Amino acid sequence: MKKKFECVFEEKAKDGQPTLLSEIYTELYITEGGTGGVNDEHEVRQIETASKKRLTEDTTVKCNDIFKPLCGRETPIRTVLTKGVAGIGKTVSVQKFILDWVDGKANQDVHFIFALPFRDLNLIKDEYSLIELLHHFIPDLKSVESTELFRYKVLFIFDGLDECRLDFHNNESWFDVTKKTSLDVLLTNLIKGNLLPSALLWITSRPPAANQIPPKCIDQVTEIRGFSDAQKEEYFRRRFSDQSLASRIMTHVKSSRSLFIMCHIPVFCWISATVLERLFSETDRGEIPRTLTEMYTHFLIFQTSLKNDKYMKNSETKLKEHSKKFLLKLGKLAFYNLEKGNLIFYEQDLTENDINVSEASVYSGVCTEVFKEEHGLYQEKVYCFVHLSIQEYLAALYVFLSNSSADLLKTAVDQVLKSKNGHLDLYLRFLLGLSTDSSKTLLQRLLGETRTSSHDIKETAQYIKEKIQDNLSPERTINLFHCLNELGDNSLVEEVQRYLNSGSLSAEDLSPAQWSALAFVLLMSDEKLDVFDLKKFIRSYKEHWRLLPVVKTSRTALLDSCNLTEKCCEMLASALRSNSSPLRELDLSNNDLQDSGVMLLSAGLGNSHCKLGILRLYSWNLTEKCCEALASALRSNSSHLRELDLSDNDLQDSGVKLLSTELANPHCKLEILRLYSCNLTDKCYEVLASALRSNSSHLRELDLSDNDLQDSGVKLLSTELANPHCKLKILRSVCNLTDKCCEVLASALRTNSSHLRELDLSDNDLQDSGVKLLSAGLGDSQCKLGILSVDHSGECRNRPGLQKYSCQLTLDPNTANRRLSLSGGNRKVTWGAEQPYPDHPERFDRCTQVLCRESLTGRCYWEAEWDGYGAHIGVTYKGIERKGWSDCRLGNNDKSWCLYCDPDSYSVCHNNKQTVIPIVPSGSHRVGVYLDWGAGALSFYRVSSDGLTPLYSFTSSFTELLYPGFGVFINSSVSL
């Protein structure tokens, strides 16, 4: 067994020496992979997305530890499914696992390992019993009684599930290891646990085939993500004894972002090492490859030269003609099987394409023969391209050499753009790359004099740019930029880089294609994006959707108040379904996406790949119709959602009842639910109360503010607060309450089983009698409550919406700049003649600004109306600078947040970062400001006869009391 697995396919044919796995092996990045869901993106796109993901976001697993339960899990693991794209290192991981077992380094509790690759199992046509199957693969086992064999701990390794189709739905159950049946029935019953339930199973697969196996049959899923950035460097250092050569190669690979990303795939590291080692050692090495097409062409030149040097000593012309004919045959095989997704070929396939089998085996770096001579079924021959990208390159080479049409490239672009999952994306990159002059020169070295059609590169590039202007899917658009890179045209990207470097972005400056280029720049940046705030980039609502692909590579996406459409929800759902996306927090508040948008998002939330933990859908014009889809996502076993904000939507009792039912579902992991102002009544409380008393509910925080729940509803809820199963720690309830509910609440607070730590009853008419009852409950030794808010009791409770949080503000004369005069009871400030104010340390000496006397915390709302040339309206910590200009201005520092208003536009600013808001004042100069200090939210609204129009929302962790402040332009005024 050691002899079989100690060598790895690393081409050293020139000296006839195989490469030992122990010499070349670099630890791969393996993570817990969630569930066995489907990801139908092109595998290179998956790699590109994964390259932006932080390593700390995943639970890592060492190759030898895949059968050890992960932290927090106690049940033993029988079956492990390991996923990974082609060439990522699945088979090498299997080899390493077996080799370490053979050498006594790991997993010594396992007595037998049976490695049965699917590509070999596929060759079985007759019926076998499980015992007979093992005898075919391992004849030495015939001497061991089957009853004796299965007393030991046995591990089956099935490598390459994607090379086999299993029928788990229709196959009959099978329990006898000695009775014959089809291979399909044997394997499905072995995986289900009907056969040898005590045996361990390890199955590897490419992602698209992973869903063949029902999730209930899998105990643990892992994913091989290839090399991390550090592991890429380690690979090249281990690959070459000459460390200066390794450094030069690594430096070159890093200089091209597309090459560096591809090096996540170990096979591509090998290809790069093969090519660059030779080129850097040659005296006249010519151009070093900078594109994927150039790299693969050089690789092919190297492999064919190895074959020619070793086997053919004839004239160079004959050799190249022979190579051309053979490569065209291989390319034809590659092209016509590309759409079918075939990676494995048998002798019949090669014969049908007039490929000489013995000749194919010589091309070791292009078409590999998996051939085991020891015994039995291994004597059959199987062929494959060493990586899917090799097959795509050869397919492109075949089309490029055999098609003389002048419109070949444009036709190919159109054809590939019709693909939904992008399975021809890399093929198109190669096809376009082969049309450049540099590639044609390389092809002359590879094939000799070859007639190829002439293609106008500039015309093709322009055609692609026109396509980028269209409303394509983000994935197709991003691939077109890769295509432009292969053509050597980076003009769009360079233009956007200039705008970014200058700090100037405006709607007039950027065309639709340039907006897509901006997305490409952000995606290809080597900086990992923590927070993507769309409002920092948009200047127009026409093209902002083109930036949404960036969401897939960010951890937090702030898309609130961006006027998104239902089309955007389809793109966002795609991001949620991406297995490699690091997205954990998504804020979509203040967008009119309605129920249809939520239904699209919910499909993504329920996907097994989705890891989203926080979703904010505040003020979406939602109704109860969307709640069924959200409820379905919450009860999904794979849902990771911990926080859901549905505030300010017309969900009504029927919608919340649907959601509440799922809170008691053991699969639902929701801990925070915000239902502020959702048009609820006391009718929904019974279902909410039922969920809270459920032992399986994870709910810790519930916001029911601004709903007409009344005393009867709170009484129902209070009963459940005393239930030992209720885990609620924070409750906010501004719901037309009176002192009648306080006795039941106080009783709940006194119970030892209540977990409540914070209770907000602000803006309810509790009166003194109710507050006394609650205070008595607080004084009880059993009470765990730490925060009780009862301020403004009854004062504003009947006002609609945010008005109930209205606060009375007055301007502080001691802070006013001398150019500002106060009037109207210190509620109006006007720019004008200098005032004789006395010196004061808190006065703004140069900035024409003034602060309010009142400090703010909790929830507050106020309005201000400006007149004249404009004004600044914001909030600040008290410690803002008062002397000077730049650091004192509202919004120009990390102590203040501000809305800038003038007759033509709005913009916001914090920490000297300004964002233009694509909404015009439209005649209304009144602004509403809502602060929820505890939630870290500050929102600005345009106030008009039509109501409140959201302008912008800041999200921050406030650490001090905030003071409203105003900056007044020349000949202007602001009134509270």
Side-chain angles (χ1 to χ4, degrees):
M1 206 166 189
K2 180 171 183 174
K3 184 178 180 182
K4 187 185 299 182
F5 291 105
E6 68 180 352
C7 296
V8 67
F9 177 72
E10 277 264 342
E11 180 60 46
K12 284 195 177 181
K14 55 187 175 185
D15 54 17
Q17 295 298 317
T19 301
L20 294 177
L21 179 63
S22 58
E23 292 177 355
I24 200 69
Y25 182 77
T26 303
E27 189 73 36
L28 288 160
Y29 187 59
I30 306 175
T31 67
E32 180 190 11
T35 59
V38 182
N39 187 349
D40 59 4
E41 288 182 305
H42 191 287
E43 293 183 346
V44 171
R45 284 287 301 134
Q46 295 179 46
I47 289 295
E48 288 168 354
T49 305
S51 70
K52 303 282 285 187
K53 198 172 182 181
R54 280 171 170 72
L55 305 188
T56 55
E57 292 168 353
D58 300 295
T59 303
T60 57
V61 183
K62 290 196 173 182
C63 180
N64 286 327
D65 295 339
I66 59 169
F67 284 97
K68 293 180 181 179
L70 296 172
C71 183
R73 179 171 179 164
E74 298 178 358
T75 55
I77 293 172
R78 176 183 184 261
T79 304
V80 174
L81 172 65
T82 296
K83 301 185 294 183
V85 302
I88 205 72
K90 300 183 295 296
T91 300
V92 171
S93 295
V94 168
Q95 287 183 246
K96 176 65 173 172
F97 184 97
I98 294 173
L99 201 58
D100 285 350
W101 175 75
V102 170
D103 290 339
K105 296 178 180 178
N107 295 292
Q108 294 304 289
D109 57 325
V110 176
H111 300 103
F112 289 97
I113 292 181
F114 303 128
L116 308 176
F118 278 106
R119 63 176 55 177
D120 292 318
L121 292 171
N122 282 345
L123 301 169
I124 295 177
K125 306 300 180 186
D126 299 327
E127 291 189 347
Y128 293 87
S129 69
L130 183 58
I131 291 296
E132 290 171 339
L133 183 69
L134 291 177
H135 288 170
H136 269 283
F137 276 84
I138 310 164
D140 291 345
L141 287 177
K142 291 179 180 179
S143 60
V144 182
E145 291 290 333
S146 59
T147 53
E148 182 72 18
L149 177 64
F150 295 129
R151 288 179 187 172
Y152 295 99
K153 190 170 186 178
V154 173
L155 165 62
F156 288 88
I157 300 178
F158 298 109
D159 187 22
L161 175 65
D162 44 282
E163 298 166 20
C164 180
R165 300 302 300 178
L166 300 176
D167 189 351
F168 281 87
H169 302 292
N170 300 313
N171 281 345
E172 60 182 315
S173 296
W174 204 260
F175 301 91
D176 194 333
V177 297
T178 62
K179 287 188 176 181
K180 292 184 177 183
T181 186
S182 68
L183 178 69
D184 195 354
V185 171
L186 280 181
L187 293 178
T188 53
N189 280 276
L190 188 59
I191 294 169
K192 285 180 178 179
N194 295 334
L195 283 172
L196 299 182
S198 62
L200 301 178
L201 274 70
W202 184 13
I203 303 163
T204 73
S205 175
R206 290 170 64 201
N211 70 319
Q212 285 192 58
I213 303 176
K216 64 182 180 181
C217 298
I218 304 296
D219 299 308
Q220 182 158 289
V221 178
T222 61
E223 180 183 8
I224 298 181
R225 295 256 299 277
F227 288 153
S228 66
D229 289 353
Q231 288 166 338
K232 295 174 192 176
E233 296 198 36
E234 182 187 349
Y235 172 86
F236 287 112
R237 286 198 302 270
R238 292 177 65 107
R239 180 70 166 69
F240 302 108
S241 57
D242 184 348
Q243 291 303 295
S244 64
L245 175 62
S247 296
R248 289 175 67 195
I249 289 175
M250 195 63 207
T251 299
H252 176 75
V253 169
K254 281 183 175 180
S255 69
S256 169
R257 186 67 185 154
S258 59
L259 297 183
F260 188 62
I261 288 174
M262 284 289 286
C263 278
H264 273 62
I265 305 173
V267 165
F268 188 77
C269 282
W270 165 63
I271 291 172
S272 300
T274 302
V275 170
L276 296 176
E277 177 187 22
R278 177 166 179 168
L279 290 178
F280 279 128
S281 62
E282 290 178 354
T283 306
D284 182 22
R285 61 174 183 258
E287 284 293 321
I288 303 297
R290 301 195 62 82
T291 67
L292 288 181
T293 308
E294 291 173 0
M295 183 69 79
Y296 279 68
T297 306
H298 274 288
F299 175 70
L300 211 56
I301 291 170
F302 176 69
Q303 296 301 336
T304 53
S305 67
L306 280 180
K307 175 183 183 296
N308 293 337
D309 291 345
K310 190 170 184 179
Y311 293 96
M312 298 183 178
K313 303 297 183 181
N314 302 321
S315 71
E316 184 176 342
T317 303
K318 286 185 177 181
L319 288 176
K320 289 184 176 179
E321 185 62 33
H322 191 86
S323 295
K324 178 181 176 180
K325 288 180 180 179
F326 179 71
L327 289 174
L328 278 173
K329 293 175 184 177
L330 273 185
K332 183 179 178 182
L333 176 73
F335 178 73
Y336 287 107
N337 283 277
L338 190 58
E339 284 230 352
K340 302 174 187 176
N342 291 343
L343 277 176
I344 304 301
F345 310 99
Y346 301 95
E347 288 198 52
Q348 181 181 350
D349 298 311
L350 272 65
T351 301
E352 289 174 356
N353 284 273
D354 195 26
I355 297 173
N356 184 288
V357 176
S358 60
E359 188 175 25
S361 64
V362 176
Y363 274 79
S364 54
V366 181
C367 192
T368 304
E369 180 184 40
V370 179
F371 181 60
K372 310 290 184 183
E373 286 188 328
E374 288 97 352
H375 48 71
L377 297 172
Y378 282 103
Q379 291 175 358
E380 193 78 36
K381 296 181 181 179
V382 183
Y383 302 87
C384 72
F385 296 100
V386 295
H387 188 249
L388 176 61
S389 59
I390 294 284
Q391 184 172 345
E392 290 168 306
Y393 175 88
L394 287 170
L397 181 64
Y398 166 73
V399 171
F400 182 71
L401 294 178
S402 59
N403 192 317
S404 59
S405 170
D407 293 328
L408 169 63
L409 301 184
K410 292 180 183 178
T411 303
V413 170
D414 293 338
Q415 176 192 3
V416 172
L417 288 180
K418 293 176 184 176
S419 165
K420 289 185 178 180
N421 63 2
H423 66 285
L424 295 174
D425 280 0
L426 198 58
Y427 154 80
L428 179 62
R429 291 192 211 176
F430 285 135
L431 182 61
L432 293 166
L434 287 169
S435 68
T436 64
D437 290 339
S438 59
S439 288
K440 288 179 180 178
T441 301
L442 288 175
L443 289 178
Q444 296 290 337
R445 288 179 54 190
L446 175 66
L447 307 171
E449 288 297 324
T450 303
R451 293 183 63 183
T452 58
S453 299
S454 178
H455 301 281
D456 189 323
I457 301 302
K458 289 185 178 180
E459 184 180 321
T460 304
Q462 184 59 37
Y463 185 74
I464 291 173
K465 291 175 185 178
E466 290 170 3
K467 289 294 180 181
I468 290 173
Q469 300 266 22
D470 296 341
N471 294 334
L472 304 173
S473 72
E475 291 75 20
R476 300 293 77 73
T477 302
I478 296 305
N479 190 60
L480 289 182
F481 278 100
H482 284 298
C483 290
L484 287 175
N485 182 58
E486 293 295 325
L487 290 172
D489 187 329
N490 295 304
S491 56
L492 278 174
V493 171
E494 290 167 358
E495 289 167 6
V496 168
Q497 286 283 16
R498 284 197 293 273
Y499 283 123
L500 286 174
N501 295 337
S502 68
S504 172
L505 278 173
S506 68
E508 292 75 23
D509 288 333
L510 298 190
S511 66
Q514 288 171 325
W515 280 114
S516 293
L518 175 58
F520 181 73
V521 168
L522 295 172
L523 286 170
M524 295 302 288
S525 167
D526 57 1
E527 294 182 11
K528 293 178 172 62
L529 198 61
D530 263 332
V531 179
F532 172 57
D533 188 347
L534 181 59
K535 296 180 293 297
K536 291 182 179 179
F537 296 98
I538 62 173
R539 304 295 184 268
S540 163
Y541 284 148
K542 293 180 181 178
E543 303 296 338
H544 63 319
W545 61 270
R546 293 178 182 270
L547 296 183
L548 290 181
V550 183
V551 169
K552 192 180 290 188
T553 64
S554 58
R555 183 175 179 83
T556 299
L558 304 179
L559 310 179
D560 52 301
S561 306
C562 288
N563 199 28
L564 301 182
T565 64
E566 184 178 312
K567 176 182 178 180
C568 300
C569 287
E570 294 179 18
M571 299 181 193
L572 293 171
S574 172
L576 294 176
R577 289 191 296 267
S578 174
N579 186 37
S580 50
S581 173
L583 190 64
R584 298 295 182 270
E585 181 178 345
L586 179 60
D587 189 348
L588 290 164
S589 300
N590 295 319
N591 288 292
D592 187 21
L593 296 176
Q594 306 185 8
D595 296 323
S596 55
V598 171
M599 291 175 185
L600 286 168
L601 281 178
S602 298
L605 288 171
N607 188 278
S608 59
H609 291 147
C610 180
K611 305 290 191 307
L612 195 72
I614 300 172
L615 177 62
R616 298 190 183 96
L617 302 175
Y618 180 99
S619 190
W620 254 41
N621 285 336
L622 306 181
T623 72
E624 73 276 9
K625 294 178 183 177
C626 72
C627 291
E628 187 172 350
L630 277 171
S632 174
L634 290 176
R635 67 172 168 265
S636 168
N637 186 33
S638 55
S639 173
H640 290 74
L641 207 62
R642 302 289 191 276
E643 179 179 334
L644 178 61
D645 188 348
L646 294 168
S647 300
D648 197 21
N649 289 292
D650 189 23
L651 303 184
Q652 302 186 17
D653 296 328
S654 56
V656 172
K657 284 179 180 178
L658 283 169
L659 292 173
S660 300
T661 302
E662 301 311 325
L663 293 176
N665 190 307
H667 290 155
C668 177
K669 303 174 183 71
L670 206 64
E671 297 177 3
I672 300 173
L673 178 60
R674 296 194 174 98
L675 298 171
Y676 162 87
S677 190
C678 287
N679 203 14
L680 310 181
T681 72
D682 56 347
K683 294 178 182 178
C684 74
Y685 252 102
E686 189 172 341
V687 186
L688 267 172
S690 173
L692 290 177
R693 66 172 169 264
S694 168
N695 186 36
S696 53
S697 172
H698 293 79
L699 206 63
R700 304 289 189 274
E701 180 178 337
L702 179 61
D703 188 347
L704 295 168
S705 303
D706 196 24
N707 290 291
D708 190 23
L709 300 180
Q710 304 186 7
D711 296 325
S712 57
V714 172
K715 286 179 181 178
L716 270 172
L717 197 62
S718 300
T719 304
E720 302 312 327
L721 293 176
N723 191 305
H725 291 155
C726 177
K727 305 175 184 71
L728 205 65
K729 292 185 177 182
I730 300 174
L731 174 63
R732 295 189 175 94
S733 186
V734 186
C735 306
N736 282 345
L737 308 183
T738 71
D739 57 342
K740 295 177 182 178
C741 71
C742 291
E743 186 174 351
V744 185
L745 269 171
S747 174
L749 295 176
R750 285 194 294 267
T751 62
N752 185 40
S753 54
S754 173
H755 293 80
L756 208 62
R757 298 293 187 272
E758 181 179 337
L759 178 60
D760 187 352
L761 298 173
S762 303
D763 302 320
N764 287 294
D765 191 15
L766 303 181
Q767 302 188 4
D768 292 340
S769 57
V771 174
K772 286 179 181 178
L773 282 169
L774 290 172
S775 299
L778 278 173
D780 192 282
S781 59
Q782 304 279 18
C783 180
K784 303 181 183 72
L785 197 70
I787 300 173
L788 173 63
S789 300
V790 291
D791 56 312
H792 306 302
S793 293
E795 187 178 312
C796 310
R797 64 189 175 90
N798 290 320
R799 295 184 184 178
L802 296 177
Q803 294 283 351
K804 63 171 50 62
Y805 300 115
S806 292
C807 54
Q808 289 295 311
L809 301 176
T810 55
L811 302 169
D812 184 357
N814 291 330
T815 65
N817 178 272
R818 287 188 172 89
R819 276 285 190 180
L820 303 179
S821 62
L822 308 186
S823 59
N826 287 346
R827 289 180 56 79
K828 181 176 180 179
V829 55
T830 305
W831 187 95
E834 192 165 303
Q835 303 297 309
Y837 296 136
D839 289 339
H840 196 283
E842 294 185 0
R843 189 176 310 286
F844 292 99
D845 69 342
R846 295 186 63 188
C847 287
T848 53
Q849 295 180 164
V850 61
L851 303 184
C852 289
R853 293 180 188 273
E854 295 79 13
S855 60
L856 303 179
T857 186
R859 292 181 224 178
C860 308
Y861 177 78
W862 67 97
E863 293 181 358
E865 189 164 9
W866 57 276
D867 188 35
Y869 290 110
H872 295 171
I873 300 171
V875 297
T876 181
Y877 295 147
K878 192 169 185 176
I880 190 173
E881 293 289 332
R882 312 301 172 104
K883 309 300 180 186
W885 177 253
S886 181
D887 290 341
C888 306
R889 189 180 177 192
L890 291 171
N892 270 26
N893 46 69
D894 61 359
K895 297 181 176 64
S896 59
W897 296 257
C898 190
L899 174 72
Y900 297 166
C901 312
D902 65 50
D904 299 317
S905 67
Y906 295 112
S907 61
V908 290
C909 194
H910 169 62
N911 204 19
N912 205 27
K913 293 180 180 178
Q914 188 172 354
T915 301
V916 175
I917 301 170
I919 297 176
V920 295
S922 297
S924 173
H925 288 181
R926 177 171 288 204
V927 171
V929 186
Y930 173 62
L931 170 68
D932 188 340
W933 192 95
L938 175 68
S939 301
F940 295 96
Y941 300 86
R942 183 183 67 190
V943 182
S944 66
S945 57
D946 296 329
L948 301 182
T949 301
L951 296 176
Y952 193 89
S953 293
F954 284 109
T955 302
S956 183
S957 297
F958 300 122
T959 57
E960 303 175 29
L961 299 177
L962 290 167
Y963 292 80
F966 306 93
V968 187
F969 289 17
I970 187 171
N971 297 328
S972 303
S973 65
V974 178
S975 301
L976 286 162

